[in-house]
């Protein structure tokens, strides 16, 4: 955690023999516990239990998880190929929805190539993970600059879940846009939805906003429509996977916010790097939606709230149709209006 | 608590020298604690802290609270008038939004009249409170019958907060419609929104539905839009105050559900007795909206979740414009479409 109002959600300490550091986000804001991870199963577990979350951050964490899984592997080319495939598959299975997880693993595993000495191929994996982290920081900065231009001085922004420095290696996605606008001299006020069941908005977004000295108001998710009626100028959210037509999977509840923004005539922007796009999917119908354990909803802080045996539907994400999205702010420019040709133009470059 | 799947949220035990019994709903479903109340301040406190909640139930509780506040008052006509006014005002100030609270107090205080022996005037107050409770039971039954006719066999209903037997002296409002439809042989399935921050849906509605053997699924409030997209046939909610044009104040989040139902082409019905209407208000703009303590959102079960000092906006209710309401099911028939003349025709009778 650095002193300038941003945090390092995920970072690598040292060289090839170093380790991965993550803030355990399940304990924030009450406790700041930094985890030092040295094996891929620990990284996978951290992703599964949301100690690290946010599509870009889990991509970066998994990239180093892959390195941790191969660095002590045998010096045999065939064995390296098998190990890479096994560790990649194991890490990719941690969570099904975020595109960045699979994308990052593919990038880093692919860097090993097929030829050359095993030691050099391994080193290429480490270098690729490092580059992926650095690229994520730059992508965040580019999205922040592009998005901040959309916001006027005094803008009232409604946001969801956590999309700040805790969700990426850099300053984040949607929340980084707010940070950048404020840094450039525009006064921002932010309404943060608490984001049930795991309260990333209440716990993480409020913590980041308060540290950054930005005017922030916490509401329950069900209060978003009333807040919009009272006065919201922009809705800014992140994304976990975007299909090639622009349909966007993000934290459960995002689809409702998009509908409510439309009903109130409020622009609704998604902020996501190109690594969040899955151009292999024609539409959001093909995006796998993770379902979480019922206990995440029926219990809070270990205390049961709903009746024992209550049936629960707990999707972690929903899909917002492209038609409800005013624009997608990427690290290669803004896609607006959102359709397949414009997505292709920006993402393929 | 009776054995037939319904509960007595509020009842009077004994004659004029009896006491008010309430289930402490803050402890459900983990504990069923029945409170025996013998003074008006205890009734007011129970209303303030939501030990009893639901617009009809707090009306009935307040009616008996008024009786408790005057039954031992001096045998002097002027003193009785002063006492009635003071106790009525004190109880009316417990919560600002629900129309039923003020309406019930006016009914019961008015029953004392202006003439006659003090003892008889007091007894008239007690009789009026009793009648109010009995009328509420009948009103619930009439709403249930009228509303159940709207539901086909196999209907999938989305509901909000708690509007069952815990919210009234009788079987409830919106949830009583589901109970009656199921009783009449139509299979119902219900999606219950948990209803942050106090989780009346998760704690109370799920408890009532599971006791009644009705297929029930709990969701976070932010999942309502995704549930509607998957398949919901009706949205049924209660009300705390309805203006004469049909604008309806109900639990915060209801306005969002009405907008989301419209976007999905799903009928949205309010179920409320005539005592919930405030014909003195031209529109919902005049309805006072209670704001609750920030700690109800930032803490759960005594554990702080948001950062210390987080600013919170915690309205307990919002207003759904009449134009978003398919119909209002009352104890005197269904108002549909919802407009001032139809409201007047049904409520004035």
């Amino acid at each position: 955690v650095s002193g300038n109002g941003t945090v390092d959600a995920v970072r690598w300490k040292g060289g090839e023999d170093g380790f991965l550091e993550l803030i355990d986000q399940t304990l924030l804001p009450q406790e700041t516990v930094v985890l030092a991870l040295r094996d891929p199963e620990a990284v996978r577990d951290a992703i599964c239990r949301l100690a690290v979350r946010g599509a870009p951050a889990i991509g970066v964490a998994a990239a180093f998880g892959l390195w941790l899984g191969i660095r002590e592997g045998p010096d045999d080319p065939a064995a390296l190929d098998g190990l890479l495939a096994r560790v990649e598959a194991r890490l990719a299975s941690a969570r099904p929805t975020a595109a960045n997880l699979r994308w990052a693993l593919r990038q880093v595993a692919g860097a090993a190539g097929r030829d050359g000495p095993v030691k050099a191929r391994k080193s290429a994996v480490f270098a690729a993970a490092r580059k992926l982290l650095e690229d994520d920081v730059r992508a965040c900065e580019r999205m922040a600059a592009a998005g901040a231009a959309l916001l006027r001085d005094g803008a009232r922004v409604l946001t969801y879940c956590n999309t700040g420095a805790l969700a990426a290696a850099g300053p984040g996605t949607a929340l980084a846009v707010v940070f950048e606008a404020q840094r450039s001299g525009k006064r921002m006020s932010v309404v943060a939805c608490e984001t049930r069941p795991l309260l990333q908005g209440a716990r993480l977004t409020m913590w980041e906003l308060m540290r950054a000295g930005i005017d922030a108001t916490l509401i329950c998710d069900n209060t978003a429509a009333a807040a919009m009626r009272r006065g919201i100028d922009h809705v800014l959210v992140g994304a976990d996977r975007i299909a090639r037509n622009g349909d966007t999977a993000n934290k459960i509840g995002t689809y409702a916010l998009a509908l409510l923004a439309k009903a109130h005539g409020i622009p609704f922007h998604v902020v996501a790097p190109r690594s969040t796009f899955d151009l292999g999917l024609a539409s959001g119908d093909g995006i796998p939606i993770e379902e979480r354990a019922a206990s995440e909803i029926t219990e809070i802080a270990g205390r049961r709230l709903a009746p024992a045996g209550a049936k629960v539907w707990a999707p972690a994400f929903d899909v917002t149709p492209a038609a409800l999205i005013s624009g997608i702010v990427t690290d290669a420019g803004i896609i607006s209006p959102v359709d397949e040709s414009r997505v292709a133009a920006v993402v393929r470059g």
Side-chain angles (χ1 to χ4, degrees), chain A:
Chain A
V1 182
S2 60
N4 64 354
T6 65
V7 288
D8 286 321
V10 47
R11 63 178 163 185
W12 182 260
K13 298 288 277 187
E16 291 192 356
D17 59 348
F19 56 91
L20 184 66
E21 268 194 4
L22 301 176
I23 298 176
D24 185 342
Q25 299 189 32
T26 66
L27 303 175
L28 286 174
Q30 275 67 37
E31 293 176 71
T32 305
V33 172
V34 176
L35 307 172
L37 307 182
R38 292 180 172 83
D39 76 86
E41 277 306 309
V43 175
R44 185 178 188 278
D45 177 63
I47 294 170
C48 287
R49 67 184 188 85
L50 278 56
V52 60
R53 26 69 48 205
I58 67 177
V60 172
F64 285 107
L66 188 74
W67 166 244
L68 291 170
I70 65 152
R71 72 174 168 187
E72 283 150 27
D75 275 343
D76 169 77
L80 177 62
D81 291 339
L83 187 60
L84 273 168
R86 281 198 305 280
V87 179
E88 180 181 352
R90 179 76 186 142
L91 285 163
S93 72
R95 299 191 69 192
T97 302
N100 312 59
L101 176 62
R102 274 152 207 78
W103 173 86
L105 287 165
R106 261 188 328 262
Q107 294 293 114
V108 175
R114 290 269 144 199
D115 302 309
V118 166
K119 191 169 179 331
R121 293 177 63 203
K122 282 186 178 178
S123 290
V125 167
F126 178 70
R130 226 175 176 145
K131 179 171 185 303
L132 196 126
L133 185 151
E134 288 157 6
D135 286 351
D136 183 64
V137 175
R138 271 193 297 274
C140 289
E141 289 165 354
R142 287 199 201 101
M143 289 184 279
L150 299 170
L151 306 181
R152 64 164 174 76
D153 182 35
R156 298 161 297 180
V157 172
L158 185 140
T159 191
Y160 199 59
C161 197
N162 173 267
T163 58
L166 289 167
T173 57
L175 210 56
V177 168
V178 175
F179 293 146
E180 174 58 21
Q182 176 100 353
R183 199 201 55 74
S184 72
K186 298 172 186 169
R187 287 153 301 179
M188 295 285 112
S189 70
V190 178
V191 171
C193 298
E194 62 175 4
T195 317
R196 282 282 289 150
L198 298 178
L199 301 169
Q200 292 92 336
R203 297 188 301 106
L204 310 179
T205 297
M206 286 299 289
W207 185 70
E208 287 201 45
L209 288 167
M210 290 167 75
R211 281 166 54 98
I214 293 174
D215 177 59
T217 302
L218 174 64
I219 61 170
C220 292
D221 302 332
N222 57 29
T223 308
M228 289 181 191
R229 195 173 189 176
R230 198 166 69 147
I232 292 290
D233 302 304
H234 296 270
V235 178
L236 296 180
V237 301
D240 290 85
R241 192 187 299 214
I242 304 174
R244 70 168 177 263
N245 70 343
D247 289 355
T248 295
N250 189 47
K251 179 58 54 197
I252 182 73
T254 303
Y255 169 50
L257 292 180
L259 287 167
L260 298 174
K262 184 184 176 194
H264 292 89
I266 300 168
F268 177 94
H269 283 87
V270 171
V271 185
R274 285 169 292 173
S275 51
T276 301
F277 287 78
D278 181 350
L279 300 183
L281 290 181
S283 80
D285 294 343
I287 300 176
I289 300 297
E290 177 181 13
E291 297 206 11
R292 303 282 301 177
S295 59
E296 289 187 353
I297 291 175
T298 57
E299 299 174 15
I300 294 187
R303 173 158 162 177
R304 169 162 280 279
L305 297 160
K311 184 165 68 174
V312 171
W313 186 44
F317 306 95
D318 58 24
V319 175
T320 300
L324 295 174
I325 301 170
S326 310
I328 305 178
V329 179
T330 79
D331 53 318
I334 298 178
I335 301 166
S336 176
V338 181
D339 59 33
E340 187 162 338
S341 67
R342 287 182 180 82
V343 166
V346 168
V347 177
R348 292 218 165 90

